[in-house]
Amino acid sequence: MSQPSTIRLERTTPRTARITFANPPVNLVIPESVVTLHRIVKELENDPDIQVVVFSSELPDFFVNHYDGAAGADLPQPEHEDDNPVWTDMVLRLSKAPFVSIAAIRGRTRGAGNELALACDLRYASREKAFFGQPEVGIGIVPGGGGAERLPRSIGRDRALEAILTSADYDANLAERWGWVTRTLPDAELDAFVDATVVRLASFDRQALATAKSMVNRATLPPDADLVAAFGEFADTLTQPGFAARAVGLGALAAEKGLDVEYQLGEYIGLVNQNL
């Protein structure tokens, strides 16, 4: 019997859709997540009616987490040799799609999950429950899905360097102050605010929305080639001894501490490196 998909697509109205991520217990991104997201984004970008797409999570403590390191050897491969890497192609398409994408963020949002959020047009976060991070460097690899290209454009070079190099977790208040998210809201108000924004945008002219987005994209998006190069650099680091040693150490901590490692990943990454 096949496992249920980690991604659920719901057409909420003729002009709107919701993509919900669910991979208990901690919402790790797995190869199936990448392939399914890629397919859905391609379908929606070619839908002549869709205007607004919301990304959300079924797990209140995790929005979309980092890629599952145990599946590093199973990264989805593009259909054709000259195609962009699957994850890279998905986030590039999402940023340029003619619809408006909104991340409704509640819970931990790290690595690939943070890169997905950064590829969205608008990021609304729970003030109490959202946390953000790019943990790759702390485990001996590098961001490969746009984090190193998009984060500096949102929060500046020095803050992006701090976030990426230290691999720490950042709370929603600091993320808002730095410009990592569009805005934060009290957790009890997040869903209503996102819903109202969706209704408002869905009532506007589709062509005007798409054209305005493309105008802003011209001024803000990193070159596609930079994201393609980053994925190659990420894939290379998966084969390096620095990652292998840290993966063993983090696995040992996970066996000892259980799910607390994922809840406090930024802290545990520091402990792993101190013990090498």
Side-chain angles (χ1 to χ4, degrees), residues 12 16 22 41 43 58 73 121 135 142 172 185 187 250 257:
T12 46
T16 64
V41 169
E43 290 173 357
E58 201 170 83
D121 302 317
V142 296
L185 297 110
D187 186 71
L250 198 59
K257 303 292 185 178

Side-chain angles (χ1 to χ4, degrees), residues 38-267:
H38 185 246
R39 174 181 55 79
I40 289 174
V41 169
K42 286 179 67 176
E43 290 173 357
L44 292 175
E45 72 174 342
N46 292 308
D47 188 309
D49 298 318
I50 200 75
Q51 291 189 196
V52 191
V53 177
V54 176
F55 288 81
S56 63
S57 169
E58 201 170 83
L59 278 63
D61 291 339
F62 294 89
F63 175 64
V64 181
N65 209 346
H66 58 84
Y67 189 79
D68 185 356
D74 300 317
L75 290 169
Q77 298 301 309
E79 184 177 354
H80 304 107
E81 184 178 353
D82 294 334
D83 289 348
N84 288 331
V86 179
W87 179 267
T88 305
D89 192 65
M90 185 274 294
V91 292
L92 289 173
R93 288 176 182 274
L94 180 60
S95 293
K96 299 175 185 178
F99 56 78
V100 180
S101 53
I102 300 176
I105 304 169
R106 178 179 281 113
R108 287 140 185 86
T109 306
R110 303 190 183 102
N114 183 58
E115 291 169 335
L116 175 65
L118 289 170
C120 288
D121 302 317
L122 301 170
R123 290 172 294 282
Y124 298 125
S126 164
R127 196 166 294 157
E128 301 94 332
K129 296 186 178 181
F131 297 87
F132 302 85
Q134 288 287 163
E136 292 89 353
V137 169
I139 56 174
I141 57 177
V142 296
E149 292 71 42
R150 299 188 195 274
L151 200 54
R153 287 169 166 81
S154 296
I155 67 176
R157 178 180 183 272
D158 54 341
R159 287 170 172 170
L161 279 170
E162 179 189 306
I164 291 170
L165 298 181
T166 67
S167 300
D169 288 335
Y170 291 79
D171 64 33
N173 287 323
L174 185 58
E176 181 182 43
R177 195 156 68 244
W178 280 10
W180 199 320
V181 295
T182 310
R183 71 168 75 190
T184 64
L185 297 110
D187 186 71
E189 300 174 14
L190 176 63
D191 295 332
F193 181 88
V194 170
D195 290 346
T197 302
V198 170
V199 170
R200 180 182 178 89
L201 292 174
S203 74
F204 290 177
D205 179 72
R206 185 178 187 272
Q207 186 59 52
L209 287 173
T211 302
K213 174 177 170 175
S214 69
M215 294 166 69
V216 174
N217 282 351
R218 286 201 301 267
T220 57
L221 289 185
D224 292 4
D226 288 359
L227 273 75
V228 174
F231 189 88
E233 291 160 344
F234 157 73
D236 287 344
T237 57
L238 289 174
T239 66
Q240 298 302 312
F243 171 62
R246 286 163 178 80
V248 170
L250 198 59
L253 269 178
E256 177 186 352
K257 303 292 185 178
L259 292 182
D260 191 56
V261 171
E262 287 294 342
Y263 276 88
Q264 310 293 337
L265 186 60
E267 179 180 345

